[in-house]
Amino acid sequence: MIRSERINVVPFEMKYLNHYFSGFNAEITKFQWPDPFESIEDARSTLQEFLNEMDREETLLFSILSKNDEFLGSVEIHGLAEDCPELGIWIIESEQNKGYAYEALNAVLDYVRSKYDKAKFYYEADLRNVESIKLLHKFDEKYEIIEQGLERLTTDSGKELELQGYILRTS
C-alpha cells in the first residue's frame, strides 16, 4: 500500500471490479484508446490479464482509494520491464478536479522510481483532454518533460484521437 495525504493506493483486487466497471465509462474513455467494457465479464477478463501481468512484474495496477476506502479510480504502469514504462490514470467523474490524480500518480512514480530504479516514463494524452495535459504539467518541476510525436488515429470503435506522447525523465 502506498499512502499519501488524502488517499491510499493499493494493488487492484477483484473486490473493486464493480466500481472499476461502472467508473470506466464513455466520458472517462472519450479521449482514450480503450472503450468502456461491454460487460462485467469483459472487465473481469481484462483486469485478470493485468493481474496476471502483475504476478510476472510486467504491469502495476492500483486502485486509488479515499481514506474511507471509497474507490476513486485507477493508476497503472505498463511495460515495467522496459526502460520507459507507460503511465495510465483515471479518476471517477464525481471525484475529478480535486487533485487525486496528481497525488496518486506522484506517489506511484516515487514508488516505481525507488523499487524498480526507473528514471523515465511515457505519458500520452489526447490534446483535447485539457485536464490530462494540466496533470502532466504539474510534474514540470520534478521531471524534465520531453514532447514526442503527435499521432492522429481512429480506434476500432471509430473514435478519432489526437495523442501526444511525452517522456517524463527525472532531472
Side-chain angles (χ1 to χ4, degrees):
M1 177 183 304
I2 303 168
R3 297 179 190 274
S4 68
E5 184 178 329
R6 300 176 304 145
I7 59 172
N8 294 322
V9 181
V10 302
F12 178 81
E13 297 177 57
M14 283 298 178
K15 69 182 182 180
Y16 303 115
L17 174 64
N18 288 329
H19 295 293
Y20 196 112
F21 174 71
S22 63
F24 198 68
N25 60 30
E27 186 59 30
I28 294 297
T29 62
K30 181 177 180 180
F31 295 120
Q32 296 182 18
W33 180 268
D35 290 313
F37 298 107
E38 290 185 19
S39 70
I40 192 82
E41 286 311 314
D42 287 343
R44 182 185 318 278
S45 175
T46 297
L47 294 169
Q48 185 59 58
E49 287 176 30
F50 288 162
L51 291 174
N52 295 344
E53 291 173 7
M54 280 183 65
D55 289 342
R56 295 187 303 266
E57 291 195 333
E58 297 169 358
T59 292
L60 295 174
L61 172 62
F62 294 105
S63 295
I64 304 165
L65 306 176
S66 72
K67 290 297 183 179
N68 297 328
D69 289 328
E70 296 168 23
F71 184 86
L72 301 174
S74 173
V75 61
E76 303 155 16
I77 308 282
H78 296 283
L80 196 54
E82 304 297 323
D83 182 47
C84 186
E86 185 170 349
L87 307 172
I89 187 161
W90 64 273
I91 301 293
I92 61 174
E93 285 182 80
S94 63
E95 298 300 324
Q96 291 181 353
N97 299 308
K98 296 180 181 179
Y100 293 128
Y102 175 77
E103 196 170 332
L105 193 53
N106 188 49
V108 168
L109 285 169
D110 287 347
Y111 170 78
V112 173
R113 286 176 54 195
S114 171
K115 178 167 174 130
Y116 297 95
D117 196 30
K118 298 296 178 183
K120 294 188 302 187
F121 300 91
Y122 184 75
Y123 183 94
E124 188 173 68
D126 190 288
L127 291 176
R128 297 162 297 174
N129 189 341
V130 175
E131 294 306 316
S132 191
I133 302 296
K134 282 183 190 176
L135 172 62
L136 168 71
H137 289 294
K138 288 182 179 183
F139 290 95
D140 279 340
E141 291 183 22
K142 196 168 181 178
Y143 293 89
E144 177 184 10
I145 298 175
I146 305 159
E147 189 172 299
Q148 303 297 293
L150 174 66
E151 184 179 9
R152 289 185 171 87
L153 56 92
T154 303
T155 68
D156 296 340
S157 67
K159 286 189 283 189
E160 293 183 8
L161 301 177
E162 299 176 24
L163 299 176
Q164 178 66 60
Y166 303 89
I167 301 289
L168 282 76
R169 183 169 60 195
T170 56
S171 22

